Amino acid sequence: GSDLQGIKTTAVKDGDHYVINGSKTFITNGQNADLVIVVAKTDPTKGAKGISLFLLEAGTPGFDKGKNLKKVGMKAQDTSELFFQDVRVPADALLGQEGMGFVYLMQELPQERLGIAINGLAMAESALEHTITYVKERRAFGKSIAEFQNTQFKLAELHTEVEVGRVYVDRCLELHLQGKLDIPTAAAAKYYITDLQCRVIDECLQLHGGYGYMWEYPIARMFADARVQRIYGGTNEIMKTIISRAILAD
Ligand SMILES: Cc1cc2nc3c(=O)[nH]c(=O)nc-3n(C[C@H](O)[C@H](O)[C@H](O)COP(=O)(O)OP(=O)(O)OC[C@H]3O[C@@H](n4cnc5c(N)ncnc54)[C@H](O)[C@@H]3O)c2cc1C
């Protein structure tokens, strides 16, 4: 959830093992995964400094996969619940150092958020391509939909916004390759591009008319798939708290 430090899963040291108890509700590819990284509290009194990461193999006693959750979109990938009940893992299943889990997660989050932004931008570009083809083919009032000024202006606006988005994402990618993509910059990419993606796809669906609401048209699937991009990887509201904290810092 948004409150990462509020996680309740625990890992308690027991001789040369840790015993893990807890659960995780939304895990992408949870059904298919045969190795998962579990975030658990090794010291609940220490807040972020009491969080550690563990490697856990599927099939370990006490580790159960719940059902494949039924989603609005993104149906080609599974999203699962995972349950941990008295799961014993050897001490060397600890990933890195004890108490450093939160730091490790923070280090990797910019890459995850950049990945979401890249995906969002690609989807927005693809939606535009499909729509440009469609409006040239579909006819109403004796002309193609592309000949209406509303269509032309909408496409011009969306094209411009997507181009601007691409410049920002390319810049973030450049920074990432240099090892310089910081948390607020990646948060801005994630929030801005996924908002843009949803806006572009919504407008593109509108230009498809009723056919845009039918699964046989790719824009319908894009519409359903896009929505979660503003939620996972940290919600866009959480992205804004990260950005504002950085710009208001002394
Ligand atoms: C399809 C899917 C796949 C996922 N895959 C994974 C995965 O592989 N791994 C993983 O770890 N997680 C995964 N998640 C979880 C995802 O990251 C969380 O759903 C997301 O971070 C939001 O947490 P939440 O659902 O608990 O919402 P909540 O935290 O309950 O938030 C509810 C609402 O409150 C708002 N809110 C919360 N706190 C604040 C605040 N401080 N200020 C302002 N607004 C706030 C949120 O923005 C949101 O609008 C997945 C989720 C989905 C839907």
Side-chain angles (χ1 to χ4, degrees):
S2 303
D3 184 10
L4 192 53
Q5 293 188 40
I7 60 162
K8 296 195 182 79
T9 297
T10 56
V12 178
K13 195 99 188 255
D14 180 24
D16 54 1
H17 282 73
Y18 285 91
V19 181
I20 302 175
N21 276 289
S23 63
K24 174 75 178 91
T25 309
F26 304 122
I27 285 292
T28 302
N29 298 324
Q31 299 286 321
N32 288 319
D34 45 27
L35 182 70
V36 300
I37 297 175
V38 180
V39 184
K41 286 213 162 146
T42 36
D43 187 345
T45 64
K46 283 194 183 155
K49 289 183 180 148
I51 292 175
S52 306
L53 306 182
F54 294 89
L55 291 169
L56 179 57
E57 288 188 51
T60 306
F63 173 27
D64 291 312
K65 296 177 177 185
K67 53 182 182 292
N68 187 359
L69 299 167
K70 288 192 174 167
K71 303 194 290 293
V72 170
M74 293 280 195
K75 293 174 195 282
Q77 59 160 221
D78 76 75
T79 304
S80 307
E81 300 166 295
L82 301 180
F83 299 100
F84 318 105
Q85 196 178 358
D86 293 328
V87 182
R88 289 181 72 80
V89 292
D92 66 5
L94 177 71
L95 191 58
Q97 288 173 28
E98 191 175 297
M100 288 291 288
F102 193 77
V103 174
Y104 299 145
L105 289 175
M106 290 302 119
Q107 284 167 354
E108 296 306 318
L109 280 173
Q111 175 171 301
E112 183 189 1
R113 290 173 182 155
L114 176 60
I116 292 171
I118 291 170
N119 178 285
L121 187 75
M123 291 275 278
E125 288 178 349
S126 175
L128 260 179
E129 277 174 31
H130 281 290
T131 307
I132 289 166
T133 304
Y134 183 82
V135 296
K136 286 184 193 163
E137 286 168 2
R138 175 77 179 160
R139 296 182 71 80
F141 298 97
K143 44 175 138 172
S144 75
I145 302 291
E147 287 174 79
F148 297 121
Q149 194 183 51
N150 176 65
T151 307
Q152 295 163 359
F153 280 14
K154 273 282 177 252
L155 289 175
E157 287 164 13
L158 298 177
H159 167 81
T160 307
E161 286 188 66
V162 167
E163 287 284 298
V164 171
R166 174 166 273 278
V167 172
Y168 190 68
V169 167
D170 283 351
R171 174 72 186 132
C172 288
L173 201 50
E174 207 172 65
L175 287 170
H176 181 59
L177 292 174
Q178 294 165 358
K180 292 182 189 160
L181 181 65
D182 62 29
I183 291 174
T185 307
K190 195 271 174 183
Y191 127 68
Y192 182 80
I193 297 295
T194 58
D195 269 12
L196 174 67
Q197 173 192 2
C198 287
R199 206 164 58 242
V200 168
I201 290 172
D202 185 69
E203 294 284 9
C204 286
L205 189 151
Q206 189 70 16
L207 288 172
H208 278 70
Y211 292 99
Y213 202 62
M214 301 297 136
W215 279 110
E216 68 182 281
Y217 284 82
I219 196 69
R221 179 172 167 183
M222 287 181 188
F223 182 77
D225 286 350
R227 189 60 184 83
V228 76
Q229 289 261 94
R230 285 156 55 195
I231 297 171
Y232 59 24
T235 67
N236 285 8
E237 292 73 35
I238 294 297
M239 296 306 103
K240 290 177 199 176
T241 64
I242 292 169
I243 299 160
S244 57
R245 207 181 300 136
I247 58 181
L248 292 171
D250 292 328

